[in-house]
Amino acid sequence: MSDQNNDVSNTRAGAVDERTIYELSIPGRRGCEMPPCDVPETEFPQALLRDESGLPEVSELDVVRHFVRLSQRNFGVDTGFYPLGSCTMKYNPKICEASARLEGFTGTHPLQPEHTVQGNLELMFKLQQWLQEIGGFAAVSLQPTAGAQGELTALLMMRAYFRDRGETGRTQVLIPDSAHGTNPASTTMAGFEALEIPSDEHGNVDLAALRAACDDSVAGLMLTNPNTLGLFEAQLEEVIACVHGCGGLVYGDGANMNALTGIACPGALGVDLMHFNLHKTFGTPHGGGGPGSGPLGASAALADYLPGPVVQRVAGDEGDGTSYALFSPARSIGRMSTYFGSFGVFVRAYAYILHHGAEGLRANAEHAVLNANYLRSRLRDVLPLPFERTCMHEFVLEGRIEGSDVRALDISKRLLDFGIHPPITYFPLIVPEALMIEPTETESKQTLDNFVEVMEVIAREAGNNPELLHAAPHNTVVGRLDEVRAARQLKLSESS
Amino acid sequence: MRYVPHTESERLQMLDVIGVSDLEQLFADVPEHSRFPELALAEPLSELELARHMRTLAEHNQHTGDKLCFLGAGAYQHFVPATVDEVLRRGEFYTAYTPYQAEASQGMLQAMFEYQTMICRLTGMDVATASHYDGSTALAEAVRMALHAGGRSRNRVIVSPAVNPRYREVVHSYLQGTVAELVGEQTSIRATADNLHNLSALVDDQTAALVIQSPNFLGQFENVAGLADAVHAAGALLIVVADPVALGRFQSPGAYGADVVVADGQPLGIPLSFGGPYLGVFAARRKHVHHLPGRLVGETVDADGRRGYVLTLAAREQHVRRARATSNICTNAGLMALAAATYMATLGATGLREVAQLCYHKSHYAAQQIAGIPGLRINPQAPDKAFFKEFAVSLPQPVATVNRILADEFGVLGGYDLAQLNPEFEGHMLLAVTEMHSKSDIDRLVQGLRVATA
Amino acid sequence: MVKSIGFVINPIAGMGGRVGLKGTDGVVAQARRLGAKPLAQKRAAEMLAELARQLSARTHAPQLRWLTCAGAMGEAELLAAGFLSRDIVVTHHPPDEPSAADTRSAVESFLARGVDLVLFCGGDGTARDICEVVGTGVAILGIPSGVKMYSGVFGSNPARTAEILLAFLDERLTTAAVDVLDLDESQYRADTWQVRLYHSALTPFEPTYSQSAKALIEAAGDDEVKEAIAESLYEQFAQQRNLLVLLGPGSSVKSVAQRWDLDKTLLGIDAIADGKLVGSDLNETEILELLARFENRALVLSPIGAQGFVLGRGNLQLSPEVIRAIGCDNIIVIATPAKLLRTPVLRFDTGDRLLDEELTGQGYLKVLTGYHRRRLVKTVI
């Protein structure tokens, strides 16, 4: 690694503009032909027809080259190191992908009679069971289609629970200021008021503030543990006891469950509701922004409120081989997606858990924490570390360098030039110039060492040549894009 | 330990750098009595064993690979060209996160921009989002957006009884915690036969939106002439649930005045996959752009003037003002939108038109043949309405009995039992026929129905 | 693009402090006799040096044009910090013994030529003088150099002021309306500590950041957040009948009245009922009379930035008797998250110890910070 080669003025190797599919379109060209109609044709209702649907006209080779070239302009875990804090960009095992593509799964219709989809129902039932076991819950519904929807579902369940108990005065949801940004949005969506609780100087929930907030107007607390600073809530049991003490419920944001599989069961610690992000904890791909899956676990008191349908094992064989059936929990808040949630993602997560077993899942969490602490220990000499504590699966640094006007964003963008995806930048908000780093367990010591060396180079550059960082990235297909222009001169589709 | 690459000596070196002697010391913050629970999970399987197990489990299902499937009711078997999965298998796409780092995500961002363009053209709208979870959640978000746009005085949403009942349920779930009121009957024979204009008469100054579906849940095109004008005259929005394949040949909701169009994008190259993951399509008129829930991709330039794409309009309305908070959406269905973009590009204008036409002709052929079976009637509740690829059949026997015979003797997964929605529909089956069904497939279904109802 | 900055030093600002006077307003001669030395030039020099250093470290620095006063009121320090005379336009020539009138004339001469921002060096008194001229037409920014600096227009120290100015020039900061406060100096020198709100001014301000999704941080201008707070209150008040809403001083609270399309006084206590203004700039007696006529009451207050006083500064009309008549539970404290960043604790000083204790509650107070959104903030007496 050297500081040389700073002349990066013209290194955008792949920077040939990729024309859009419409720019490639030539009237009359086709990428796919349908077979001729083999039944007598029926007259169309002329008034309802359109002549132009406005889709492009390209050949199959055009399509393949276009999208393959676009893929080459994209960074994924399969491309390089992706220490994006809070997102858990770990390796997505290929056997899980292959499993999800089996025709026996992809070719099943969601409304098939139950006896014809026993394989699917068995898979969903076992996944429910395993998630219950891993999280320490009485029941799990797989229905929520993403983490944020899992949050909303949990809040709607709290609402229904207190309504049934006649406690309609519980209008407030407590949210630590280190929480995920979706928490307050979900809270408002569910008709509650968000009350932000400050953190103490160690990054924990300020217990005194929490005590002051806990009264009979509180519906619950939304707790991310480990929190978004990557720290395990040191007074977790006191925090939970405090909320339960005033009659409130504790919702666990399971976004960081990947640090706890086989380490601790949130349900056993008193968490009443928690969503799992299958894409973080169980290695299902993020898909460039979805599909997600946010199954929700519930304690015995709340299990009846879960969204349905969920899968149950049926006692007797009804003569047609039915061992698993769908049913709706007694006081279900209702349906949160059209069918059962992201079934294709369940297949991947099921295969992942079965591939790892209990020991493998615990080893994943342990090595995620090992990797994070290793990087923390090595990088604290490069950038300021705001919390001097053993971290869990991720940690936060301050992206500023003494005597330089380089900011966290500059460091992030410069990392791209080294083929490394930047950490989460400017989150969590309670740390100025935050850089949130999550290496994940699937990265080797060599990858981590290389990352440290790159960060050292960048820190030196910040002193010697800050302009290089201000103008980064230099090696990507485009430079920093003008986001203000994008928002002011809105162009959200191609003009016809 | 399959995917943890550490050797024993590396582990020790790393622990040494951290300053602890073993892994367990890293978890001192976890309450001791709860540390390291023994999890009762299945014994781990090697990749070879796992592959075998997954195949076995998959074969415990009946599926479109070994059965003829005529189920629809919101999820449809359509042809998926090989290009789609080829693109989806690109690790650069599917192992990426939401494209927040624009410089490293131009591929996905440009694909989303192109997807937005194609959806706008198909629906006849001005702006489209980069995807939602599925059709029902897209509708729920559209309803919330309409309530927001309607302001304090408009708290009612009228949902046509002919809208997919599962969509109605999800809208209902999403409105818990608000003061909004969902108006309109559950799916019933009388209600689905009703003229939509009776519904539009209910739209008043307290109504934020009227939601219709066309083709509706029973497959029929709604009579939309003058509907948008009536809704707009009362100051409300017209939200239309569409079938994206139908839009390849049949008029777009934009053409008849819709304000918001939502759909499940599953028919656009996404496998049935037992109901998910699917794709929520969401498009609207330009004036709603600042209230749209979900992600939007916009075009811009870098410092040197190179064209590029970014996530834009992180919609302040959603997150800061949150008056009647519209959305908490974070993840969407990016990969599914990519599938749809590849599908639409491959099929093109002509291909999608052909698919729509084949669906129309084949379903009508099937309906005509079935109508020839004694005791069976097609769309008995509204026989004169035009339909696209789905139709209801009334049978002299319970649907479950008929379906059992179809499956056991003819290898056919028969239609959806409408009695599950409403006992009024006892003996009514909803059948979907698409380009996937050859004439001989349809003839087999007809023969099966003839035998089963004899 | 060239940015124009009006720059004025109040050369006598801060002189009183060192010799035990509480401000220099009207007592310059006395201060000089007591041996007071000009402090403002030194503070200004510190700020300008930091600014010059940061500008020279950049390749794409904004181009600056300075409008200023001759000699000690600006020009001298600019030249000393290394700014070139071709970039400096002298628009005002003060006499040897300048007064508050010179500050005002200087700012008038800046406005006549057009500036993007007025940078000044002084204290609350100087801020007031400048506000009288610019109102909320142009943003102002203060290098802190007074005895009193209660107003929200000052950087926390000279170096930080340079950073704020740069961020403003880079358009990384938006502007927000903040309060310009000052002690009533004649009362202060008589040992009566009374802060008054005098004006509302525009100043460069950190936007409120919120996270809408991981890695997507949004910046919202202060006005947007104030609107969200107002919307939330509007909804809340709409649910109560026979309700009197008392609105305290300051620009945050003023925006609440704007939700009803009502024009509230900036400095006074106003009252709203049934969507109508039923009292303006009320005194204690008038408030008590009004309160007696309504079944339900609410009082909306915003803390004084940085110091955190909610009661007892700038709103003495709200006497202990008034507060008791309203009821502690009916007091709603509002503040934007950006303001709370600078205001870590809230204080009460009603003059009634028991009441203060009741108001500080368990040591935390819920502050409305957005639409249906509150934050717990520490309270002390």
Side-chain angles (χ1 to χ4, degrees):
Chain A
M1 202 58 50
S2 81
D3 295 12
Q4 291 164 8
N5 196 13
N6 283 348
D7 179 12
V8 284
S9 50
N10 200 10
T11 52
R12 298 192 197 280
V16 181
D17 183 43
E18 175 63 23
R19 287 187 291 161
T20 69
I21 197 78
Y22 279 97
E23 287 163 354
L24 295 167
S25 177
I26 302 289
R29 193 162 281 168
R30 334 195 31 175
C32 187
E33 283 175 24
M34 285 292 124
C37 189
D38 59 355
V39 297
E41 296 190 359
T42 303
E43 202 183 325
F44 289 118
Q46 291 299 325
L48 299 182
L49 294 182
R50 77 194 290 185
D51 289 326
E52 295 292 329
S53 64
L55 293 187
E57 297 177 84
V58 291
S59 71
E60 180 171 328
L61 178 58
D62 289 335
V63 171
V64 171
R65 281 203 180 134
H66 175 64
F67 285 103
V68 168
R69 282 197 300 248
L70 285 185
S71 76
Q72 290 167 339
R73 298 160 77 86
N74 224 53
F75 192 101
V77 175
D78 285 1
T79 323
F81 186 41
Y82 211 133
L84 190 65
S86 147
C87 301
T88 318
M89 300 304 289
K90 64 184 176 191
Y91 177 64
N92 307 132
K94 302 307 167 196
I95 180 62
C96 302
E97 287 303 302
S99 301
R101 284 180 161 80
L102 291 168
E103 195 179 12
F105 295 126
T106 59
T108 50
H109 190 284
L111 298 174
Q112 278 181 231
E114 289 168 6
H115 73 275
T116 68
V117 285
Q118 285 297 299
N120 289 348
L121 297 181
E122 181 182 340
L123 184 147
M124 288 171 65
F125 178 77
K126 286 190 173 155
L127 184 57
Q128 284 172 196
Q129 296 283 97
W130 294 341
L131 294 178
Q132 282 170 33
E133 177 70 14
I134 290 166
F137 295 106
V140 162
S141 167
L142 301 175
Q143 205 170 82
T145 19
Q149 210 197 26
E151 274 174 37
L152 174 64
T153 309
L155 290 161
L156 293 174
M157 286 170 67
M158 283 190 190
R159 190 177 186 81
Y161 172 81
F162 286 121
R163 182 202 56 216
D164 286 359
R165 294 166 61 96
E167 299 178 49
T168 49
R170 296 191 179 270
T171 54
Q172 308 223 36
V173 171
L174 312 179
I175 302 176
D177 60 4
S178 63
H180 285 116
T182 48
N183 286 180
S186 302
T187 301
T188 328
M189 248 183 119
F192 289 112
E193 273 204 358
L195 177 58
E196 218 174 272
I197 308 290
S199 298
D200 67 15
E201 63 274 24
H202 306 295
N204 291 314
V205 171
D206 180 343
L207 257 185
L210 183 70
R211 290 206 179 95
C214 279
D215 57 27
D216 62 4
S217 72
V218 170
L221 166 75
M222 296 181 91
L223 186 70
T224 306
N225 183 47
N227 67 19
T228 59
L229 299 163
L231 303 174
F232 192 93
E233 197 62 53
Q235 297 153 305
L236 183 70
E237 293 178 297
E238 289 91 331
V239 167
I240 291 174
C242 187
V243 177
H244 284 166
C246 77
L249 297 170
V250 176
Y251 164 75
D253 184 325
N256 295 341
M257 189 63 203
N258 57 305
L260 294 184
T261 52
I263 308 294
C265 295
L269 290 165
V271 169
D272 301 288
L273 290 161
M274 187 187 86
H275 83 260
F276 295 83
N277 290 95
L278 295 186
H279 51 286
K280 293 182 183 179
T281 306
F282 304 108
T284 71
H286 289 67
S293 178
L296 191 64
S299 64
L302 288 148
D304 278 351
Y305 294 90
L306 283 168
V310 297
V311 183
Q312 251 184 349
R313 194 192 267 279
V314 288
D317 192 318
E318 290 171 14
D320 56 6
T322 303
S323 308
Y324 301 94
L326 295 162
F327 89 108
S328 191
R331 294 165 180 276
S332 176
I333 54 140
R335 196 178 276 282
M336 291 302 287
S337 62
T338 319
Y339 301 103
F340 315 114
S342 301
F343 178 78
V345 182
F346 306 158
V347 180
R348 292 169 174 87
Y350 172 94
Y352 185 91
I353 294 173
L354 193 50
H355 199 15
H356 282 83
E359 265 184 53
L361 291 180
R362 173 173 163 178
N364 282 355
E366 285 173 337
H367 288 82
V369 174
L370 175 72
N371 277 0
N373 278 292
Y374 178 70
L375 275 187
R376 181 184 61 86
S377 300
R378 294 207 56 196
L379 287 173
R380 57 193 287 188
D381 300 330
V382 184
L383 290 174
L385 178 71
F387 298 99
E388 269 293 349
R389 269 176 68 182
T390 302
C391 65
M392 297 298 279
H393 60 299
E394 60 193 354
F395 62 100
V396 179
L397 290 174
E398 290 176 36
R400 56 184 175 83
I401 287 156
E402 202 57 46
S404 167
D405 63 347
V406 158
R407 306 184 69 208
L409 185 70
D410 301 322
I411 296 172
S412 277
K413 296 297 183 192
R414 183 63 178 144
L415 274 168
L416 287 168
D417 289 335
F418 293 91
I420 293 172
H421 196 282
I424 282 275
T425 312
Y426 300 125
F427 177 75
L429 294 167
I430 54 176
V431 174
E433 300 294 317
L435 285 172
M436 189 180 192
I437 299 168
E438 179 178 14
T440 81
E441 70 276 10
T442 51
E443 298 299 336
S444 68
K445 180 170 179 294
Q446 290 70 36
T447 303
L448 305 185
D449 287 339
N450 177 63
F451 177 61
V452 173
E453 285 170 33
V454 168
M455 289 294 278
E456 286 166 350
V457 169
I458 292 175
R460 283 199 294 277
E461 287 174 347
N464 306 337
N465 190 0
E467 202 44 41
L468 185 69
L469 271 66
H470 292 317
H474 305 278
N475 300 339
T476 47
V477 292
V478 291
R480 278 193 215 185
L481 291 160
D482 188 344
E483 296 191 7
V484 174
R485 175 187 157 125
R488 293 210 178 129
Q489 300 174 31
L490 268 188
K491 186 174 177 193
L492 303 174
S493 62
E494 279 180 81
S495 39
S496 18
Chain B
M1 303 282 280
R2 175 73 164 77
Y3 303 103
V4 171
H6 305 60
T7 65
E8 185 57 32
S9 76
E10 285 173 340
R11 197 159 28 241
L12 292 173
Q13 284 172 48
M14 293 170 76
L15 289 168
D16 191 48
V17 170
I18 298 167
V20 295
S21 56
D22 62 43
L23 283 172
E24 298 199 357
Q25 284 185 37
L26 296 172
F27 298 96
D29 281 338
V30 179
E32 200 171 352
H33 59 81
S34 304
R35 219 180 285 160
F36 308 123
E38 289 293 326
L39 299 180
L41 304 178
E43 282 303 307
L45 299 183
S46 68
E47 182 167 339
L48 189 155
E49 294 165 305
L50 180 62
R52 187 183 294 147
H53 169 84
M54 295 305 289
R55 266 199 311 278
T56 309
L57 195 57
E59 290 312 318
H60 284 171
N61 295 320
Q62 297 179 20
H63 54 85
T64 54
D66 60 14
K67 288 278 190 298
L68 274 178
C69 177
F70 290 93
L71 277 164
Y76 303 94
Q77 192 192 359
H78 283 287
F79 176 68
V80 182
T83 51
V84 174
D85 201 46
E86 197 70 32
V87 170
L88 292 190
R89 281 175 188 263
R90 297 292 301 192
E92 301 94 325
F93 282 137
Y94 82 80
T95 70
Y97 194 70
T98 306
Y100 293 131
Q101 286 292 341
E103 299 87 347
S105 314
Q106 282 302 296
M108 196 61 168
L109 286 163
Q110 182 170 339
M112 292 303 100
F113 181 80
E114 294 174 5
Y115 162 84
Q116 289 173 187
T117 305
M118 291 189 257
I119 292 298
C120 284
R121 305 237 175 133
L122 210 49
T123 57
M125 291 285 110
D126 307 318
V127 289
T129 69
S131 73
H132 290 253
Y133 308 137
D134 64 17
S136 64
T137 59
L139 176 60
E141 300 261 10
V143 164
R144 289 191 74 112
M145 187 187 91
L147 286 163
H148 179 73
R152 198 169 310 280
S153 60
R154 294 179 184 267
N155 276 323
R156 300 172 65 204
V157 174
I158 300 171
V159 179
S160 158
V163 167
N164 187 332
R166 284 186 172 72
Y167 284 31
R168 174 202 305 277
E169 284 180 51
V170 173
V171 172
H172 180 265
S173 299
Y174 268 64
L175 293 185
Q176 294 170 39
T178 72
V179 294
E181 179 194 4
L182 199 58
V183 182
E185 291 175 61
Q186 291 290 339
T187 313
S188 68
I189 291 180
R190 188 192 59 74
T192 47
D194 250 5
N195 193 315
L196 277 185
H197 290 266
N198 296 338
L199 269 185
S200 69
L202 296 176
V203 179
D204 60 13
D205 62 359
Q206 288 168 39
T207 306
L210 169 65
V211 180
I212 67 156
Q213 179 175 339
S214 184
N216 65 24
F217 182 63
L218 300 182
Q220 298 172 317
F221 290 104
E222 296 287 11
N223 176 14
V224 293
L227 184 67
D229 287 345
V231 172
H232 293 157
L237 300 184
L238 177 61
I239 300 175
V240 176
V241 182
D243 177 333
V245 168
L247 299 180
R249 187 63 178 112
F250 295 90
Q251 71 177 164
S252 73
Y256 55 83
D259 300 283
V260 184
V261 181
V262 296
D264 201 305
Q266 178 271 329
L268 301 173
I270 297 168
L272 287 168
S273 194
F274 207 46
Y278 285 175
L279 164 67
V281 171
F282 191 117
R285 299 282 180 198
R286 189 166 193 91
K287 68 176 172 189
H288 300 296
V289 70
H290 289 276
H291 300 274
L292 290 184
R295 301 268 162 266
L296 293 169
V297 176
E299 189 186 300
T300 186
V301 293
D302 71 5
D304 301 324
R306 274 185 212 88
R307 178 166 70 175
Y309 305 89
V310 292
L311 289 175
T312 190
L313 277 196
R316 306 205 143 145
E317 292 292 338
Q318 281 175 42
H319 304 299
V320 181
R321 291 202 62 180
R322 283 204 216 97
R324 302 175 157 219
T326 47
S327 176
N328 69 344
I329 201 159
C330 182
T331 293
N332 43 24
L335 200 67
M336 304 293 103
L338 178 66
T342 312
Y343 174 90
M344 289 188 281
T346 307
L347 270 283
T350 318
L352 194 66
R353 179 187 171 110
E354 286 174 357
V355 170
Q357 294 185 163
L358 286 171
C359 287
Y360 181 83
H361 293 314
K362 288 175 184 253
S363 58
H364 281 76
Y365 170 74
Q368 284 150 17
Q369 298 301 305
I370 292 167
I373 304 173
L376 273 62
R377 290 168 63 212
I378 304 298
N379 286 337
Q381 80 292 354
D384 300 330
K385 270 188 175 176
F387 63 91
F388 172 51
K389 66 182 178 191
E390 266 183 305
F391 54 89
V393 184
S394 67
L395 310 167
Q397 281 90 1
V399 172
T401 313
V402 173
N403 273 341
R404 187 70 61 134
I405 296 169
L406 285 176
D408 294 348
E409 297 177 29
F410 294 87
V412 167
L413 289 168
Y416 177 64
D417 184 354
L418 287 167
Q420 290 181 18
L421 300 177
N422 189 330
E424 263 183 61
F425 280 113
E426 185 64 44
H428 285 67
M429 174 190 277
L430 187 65
L431 285 164
V433 184
T434 71
E435 80 281 9
M436 296 302 282
H437 302 108
S438 68
K439 178 170 180 297
S440 68
D441 294 340
I442 298 168
D443 291 343
R444 195 157 111 209
L445 167 72
V446 175
Q447 181 57 21
L449 285 171
R450 198 183 301 278
V451 170
T453 58
Chain C
M1 193 163 129
V2 183
K3 301 273 187 179
S4 293
I5 302 172
F7 177 53
V8 58
I9 300 174
N10 174 5
I12 55 166
M15 282 169 66
R18 300 293 169 88
V19 291
L21 294 176
K22 297 154 186 164
T24 15
D25 308 5
V27 286
V28 181
Q30 193 192 350
R32 286 237 162 89
R33 272 199 307 281
L34 290 168
K37 293 236 158 38
L39 175 69
Q41 279 93 341
K42 189 171 157 286
R43 305 281 278 180
E46 253 177 77
M47 183 274 179
L48 292 172
E50 176 63 19
L51 181 66
R53 193 188 71 75
Q54 295 223 16
L55 285 171
S56 67
R58 295 187 173 196
T59 42
H60 300 297
Q63 262 213 307
L64 300 184
R65 185 176 74 122
W66 296 95
L67 278 66
T68 190
C69 311
M73 275 187 75
E75 186 191 12
E77 299 307 330
L78 282 170
L79 290 170
F83 291 98
L84 303 175
S85 55
R86 65 155 195 254
D87 295 330
I88 301 171
V89 187
V90 174
T91 59
H92 178 70
H93 293 270
D96 289 346
E97 296 242 335
S99 66
D102 285 291
T103 307
R104 288 193 288 268
S105 318
V107 174
E108 275 161 16
S109 71
F110 303 156
L111 294 187
R113 287 165 179 79
V115 284
D116 294 298
L117 174 137
V118 174
L119 175 71
F120 70 95
C121 186
D124 282 331
T126 320
R128 275 168 60 194
D129 289 335
I130 292 173
C131 278
E132 273 168 31
V133 181
V134 301
T136 51
V138 172
I140 68 173
L141 174 64
I143 305 166
S145 172
V147 178
K148 313 151 283 144
M149 281 154 299
Y150 295 115
S151 307
V153 297
F154 294 102
S156 52
N157 56 50
R160 179 68 193 137
T161 314
E163 280 171 26
I164 295 171
L165 178 61
L166 270 173
F168 176 74
L169 296 173
D170 292 343
E171 295 178 7
R172 278 187 278 127
L173 295 184
T174 52
T175 57
V178 295
D179 297 335
V180 172
L181 311 154
D182 198 359
L183 288 183
D184 188 316
E185 295 204 358
S186 53
Q187 295 223 31
Y188 183 37
R189 279 190 291 274
D191 279 340
T192 310
W193 204 79
Q194 191 173 329
V195 177
R196 276 188 55 196
L197 175 62
Y198 285 89
H199 297 282
S200 186
L202 279 186
T203 196
F205 210 72
E206 280 281 326
T208 289
Y209 292 104
S210 56
Q211 186 216 11
S212 65
K214 281 182 307 249
L216 204 59
I217 308 291
E218 287 156 27
D222 228 47
D223 290 347
E224 286 172 280
V225 182
K226 284 176 187 165
E227 273 174 40
I229 293 171
E231 180 69 23
S232 207
L233 285 176
Y234 184 84
E235 274 183 22
Q236 183 184 334
F237 294 152
Q239 289 168 4
Q240 279 176 282
R241 294 186 171 279
N242 197 353
L243 171 72
L244 179 75
V245 180
L246 290 168
L247 300 175
S251 52
S252 300
V253 181
K254 189 171 160 73
S255 66
V256 174
Q258 279 159 358
R259 181 61 187 80
W260 274 276
D261 290 324
L262 297 176
D263 193 20
K264 185 199 165 300
T265 60
L266 177 67
L267 308 179
I269 313 278
D270 291 16
I272 294 177
D274 278 334
K276 289 184 201 69
L277 209 56
V278 294
S280 225
D281 208 358
L282 298 162
N283 63 30
E284 183 186 356
T285 320
E286 291 166 330
I287 295 173
L288 286 170
E289 279 169 13
L290 263 176
L291 283 170
R293 288 171 31 208
F294 289 85
E295 208 175 301
N296 298 303
R297 301 101 185 232
L299 168 63
V300 183
L301 294 170
S302 189
I304 290 175
Q307 300 174 297
F309 278 103
V310 178
L311 279 168
R313 300 288 182 275
N315 47 26
L316 294 180
Q317 309 92 312
L318 300 171
S319 64
E321 196 186 348
V322 167
I323 298 300
R324 287 219 162 80
I326 295 166
C328 290
D329 291 345
N330 295 323
I331 298 178
I332 300 163
V333 180
I334 65 172
T336 64
K339 186 178 190 178
L340 285 182
L341 266 184
R342 301 182 296 129
T343 316
V345 293
L346 300 181
R347 297 166 200 275
F348 294 87
D349 182 18
T350 58
D352 177 332
R353 182 84 186 173
L354 280 178
L355 183 62
D356 291 345
E357 277 169 14
E358 194 180 335
L359 285 162
T360 50
Q362 293 170 281
Y364 291 89
L365 194 79
K366 293 173 189 174
V367 177
L368 187 66
T369 57
Y371 182 79
H372 284 194
R373 198 164 177 172
R374 290 169 203 270
R375 182 178 166 89
L376 271 190
V377 184
K378 247 193 182 99
T379 52
V380 292
I381 294 181

